[in-house]
Amino acid sequence: MPSEQWLLLQVGAALELALPFSRVRRVLHRQERDFESYASQAADLADCLGVPPGAGLPGVLILLNSGACWRAGGVLLPDGRERLSYLSLPGDLFRDRAWCRGVLSDRGRWIYVVNEEGFGEGNG
């Protein structure tokens, strides 16, 4: 998966997720006029994963090609200096947490790669 383009989602102060860019239809920031119309149906990632939300983060909505809508604290693309290595994980490693299919590693930094199909209520 070395050629994959990643969208990095900041969920809380200490949790980052990665999502293949090809699965994202749109990212909405609070300033966009249709933010509120999508906000009511968004699954809050911090809440789903049971982590404290990032209080100082701006808050964004990620609209996926599948039709799902997620709320995260912030979003960014990796800059060219990051050397993200993808490490796949065995399917049963997280047991009932099927939302994670691997990690991206960069010099001690760990970013959890989201398995969109396994992410939802009851997987936190």
Side-chain angles (χ1 to χ4, degrees), residues 33-123:
R33 61 184 161 148
D34 51 350
F35 181 92
E36 289 303 323
S37 63
Y38 286 102
S40 62
Q41 66 184 4
D44 187 276
L45 294 175
D47 188 49
C48 290
L49 295 171
V51 298
L57 297 173
V60 295
L61 299 178
I62 299 94
L63 305 179
L64 305 177
N65 293 332
S66 66
C69 182
W70 295 347
R71 181 190 311 269
V75 64
L76 59 117
L77 292 170
D79 67 25
R81 297 168 297 175
E82 292 174 307
R83 301 279 183 233
L84 299 174
S85 301
Y86 177 76
L87 307 168
S88 64
L89 298 176
D92 61 349
L93 183 64
F94 286 122
R95 301 190 194 278
D96 63 338
R97 291 174 172 86
W99 58 267
C100 181
R101 65 181 172 94
V103 293
L104 296 177
S105 172
D106 175 38
R107 289 173 274 163
R109 178 178 170 207
W110 297 92
I111 304 166
Y112 297 91
V113 177
V114 174
N115 172 21
E116 182 185 343
E117 295 79 21
F119 195 88
E121 293 189 37
N123 287 320

Side-chain angles (χ1 to χ4, degrees), residues 9-54:
L9 311 178
Q10 186 73 44
V11 176
L15 180 63
E16 285 182 280
L17 303 180
L19 187 65
F21 194 71
S22 60
R23 296 193 178 201
V24 178
R25 183 176 37 172
R26 189 172 169 204
V27 175
L28 291 168
H29 298 271
R30 289 190 181 276
Q31 301 88 344
E32 297 190 50
R33 61 184 161 148
D34 51 350
F35 181 92
E36 289 303 323
S37 63
Y38 286 102
S40 62
Q41 66 184 4
D44 187 276
L45 294 175
D47 188 49
C48 290
L49 295 171
V51 298

